[in-house]
Amino acid sequence: MLKETEIMKEIIDIFSREKMNIQSQCKAGLFDDNKYWENIIRYLMNAVYGLDLKNLNEEKINYPGIDLGDQSEKMGIQVTETKTSAKLVRSLDKVLENKVYEVYPKFCMFVLGDKQKTYSFDENKYKGKIIFDPSSDIYDFQDLINKINKMNREEMQDILNYLKMEFSEKRTDEIRQNIVHVLSYLDNSWKWIERAKEGGSFFTDAYRCTKYLERYEIISGCLSREESSKLFALLTDINQLIDYMEEGLNYIQKKEKGRRHSRGLTLYVDSYTSSLSHSIMAKAKNVLDNRDIYDVLKKKIM
């Protein structure tokens, strides 16, 4: 296998993985990495197309219509995860309304993913002010791949080294953020369980670790197999404890419909709640007896 082919395969793998990450985050309404991606696209467009783009949002917060600009080429680029014609028109309108075209008359858009095959907009609205051709001025990851594939080995290697460094740093930051979230969750869960046991009653004042399986998967890569198993068991036990509690309180509310509600699950006694209370107490003990993973996680961010 040729060295160039090996390099390109790694580059394509990184773009494919990150494209899927962006798509997944967008579907879940969680994508907030635009600022991060602006600088990545700035570097890549400069390296691949020989531009001298600057991040305009670092000069002026929320620069209208575009994110990157090359004054010598009089070109501005909007970096977006939204590929639609509506997004294109909104960006063009901002460039027009704020007279951005006086400095950056050539408009381009970079789609973080796959661009559409065709785009519709009122060309006459921008004619004579904004220079833009949707067939050549909208870029996506595939355009970068096609261009990089024509570069020499040294240039390819430079881009691969940059991508590895950038996404390695991003992954480290992502792991750290999720560890901080899980540590906070564990700390609050233990306080809740201890308070509930002291008061003799479990209440519905617990909160769930949002997307705990996803957070676990991100964190598990920096843990040993044993540590990873302990963390998974602990997060699962806490969420099952909340499931049991909610199940029991829903049962009580149905039983006591029209009467004063019980102050807590363990204060209501019948065969069903007695069995469930036993499961809750056992699960709570498991959680409290396995707190050593907390110190392991804490060391990862110190």
Side-chain angles (χ1 to χ4, degrees):
M1 182 181 288
L2 294 174
K3 183 66 176 178
E4 288 89 341
T5 306
E6 294 173 356
I7 295 170
M8 274 309 301
K9 183 179 184 305
E10 287 194 63
I11 290 172
I12 291 169
D13 285 346
I14 291 172
F15 280 135
S16 298
R17 184 187 69 231
E18 292 307 315
K19 183 172 72 172
M20 288 179 65
N21 287 340
I22 292 169
Q23 290 172 346
S24 297
Q25 289 178 51
C26 287
K27 285 180 181 178
L30 299 173
F31 187 79
D32 58 359
D33 278 353
N34 248 40
K35 289 182 180 178
Y36 174 78
W37 273 99
E38 286 166 10
N39 283 321
I40 293 178
I41 299 305
R42 179 187 65 80
Y43 171 87
L44 292 171
M45 292 296 285
N46 286 346
V48 174
Y49 290 92
L51 299 171
D52 186 26
L53 294 163
K54 310 295 182 191
N55 191 329
L56 302 178
N57 291 317
E58 292 178 355
E59 300 174 9
K60 178 182 178 181
I61 297 174
N62 293 325
Y63 199 94
I66 56 175
D67 302 302
L68 312 174
D70 182 335
Q71 283 196 350
S72 62
E73 294 292 329
K74 298 182 178 180
M75 173 194 291
I77 301 179
Q78 164 75 205
V79 179
T80 177
E81 76 283 3
T82 307
K83 64 182 179 179
T84 62
S85 295
K87 173 62 179 178
L88 169 65
V89 170
R90 285 197 299 272
S91 298
L92 286 169
D93 284 346
K94 286 181 181 178
V95 170
L96 186 65
E97 292 163 8
N98 293 276
K99 298 185 177 180
V100 174
Y101 59 84
E102 292 180 355
V103 181
Y104 302 104
K106 182 171 177 60
F107 175 85
C108 298
M109 188 163 82
F110 192 100
V111 176
L112 298 170
D114 298 316
K115 61 189 175 185
Q116 296 182 164
K117 291 183 179 179
T118 60
Y119 283 84
S120 58
F121 68 105
D122 183 0
E123 188 176 348
N124 292 325
K125 185 177 181 180
Y126 315 102
K127 200 168 184 179
K129 293 180 178 177
I130 300 174
I131 302 168
F132 172 70
D133 182 349
S135 65
S136 60
D137 296 331
I138 300 179
Y139 300 85
D140 62 9
F141 288 139
Q142 189 59 51
D143 291 311
L144 285 176
I145 289 169
N146 293 343
K147 193 76 173 175
I148 294 168
N149 197 37
K150 296 176 183 177
M151 300 172 80
N152 63 47
R153 183 188 301 181
E154 290 74 21
E155 291 169 330
M156 285 182 183
Q157 188 65 59
D158 285 344
I159 288 172
L160 177 58
N161 291 343
Y162 168 79
L163 291 172
K164 282 183 173 180
M165 176 197 70
E166 194 66 54
F167 289 112
S168 173
E169 288 180 359
K170 182 187 178 188
R171 187 66 177 173
T172 299
D173 186 55
E174 185 180 22
I175 290 171
R176 183 183 178 85
Q177 289 176 7
N178 280 277
I179 288 176
V180 169
H181 183 98
V182 169
L183 283 173
S184 174
Y185 176 67
L186 293 175
D187 188 51
N188 280 292
S189 294
W190 288 323
K191 288 177 182 176
W192 164 67
I193 293 170
E194 287 170 341
R195 189 174 68 248
K197 288 187 75 176
E198 286 173 9
S201 176
F202 278 82
F203 296 90
T204 53
D205 58 352
Y207 71 96
R208 294 180 184 274
C209 180
T210 55
K211 298 185 174 293
Y212 86 92
L213 284 176
E214 288 89 340
R215 293 187 187 281
Y216 160 76
E217 287 175 2
I218 291 169
I219 294 170
S220 63
C222 71
L223 300 173
S224 69
R225 182 175 297 179
E226 183 182 357
E227 292 165 347
S228 179
S229 296
K230 282 185 178 180
L231 178 60
F232 180 80
L234 190 57
L235 290 171
T236 302
D237 279 346
I238 293 171
N239 280 273
Q240 284 183 349
L241 176 59
I242 297 170
D243 285 340
Y244 290 157
M245 180 194 65
E246 290 180 346
E247 180 184 339
L249 288 175
N250 287 335
Y251 171 80
I252 293 170
Q253 286 170 1
K254 288 179 181 177
K255 282 280 187 177
E256 295 196 333
K257 191 174 182 181
R259 294 183 292 178
R260 193 169 130 187
H261 291 314
S262 171
R263 291 189 297 117
L265 174 57
T266 55
L267 297 182
Y268 189 100
V269 180
D270 66 10
S271 59
Y272 175 77
T273 57
S274 293
S275 173
L276 197 56
S277 294
H278 179 75
S279 298
I280 286 174
M281 290 303 182
K283 191 68 69 174
K285 186 177 185 304
N286 285 345
V287 173
L288 294 177
D289 286 348
N290 289 284
R291 288 190 266 194
D292 55 320
I293 192 65
Y294 184 92
D295 292 328
V296 173
L297 290 173
K298 196 169 183 179
K299 287 177 181 177
K300 300 290 182 182
I301 60 171
M302 291 178 67

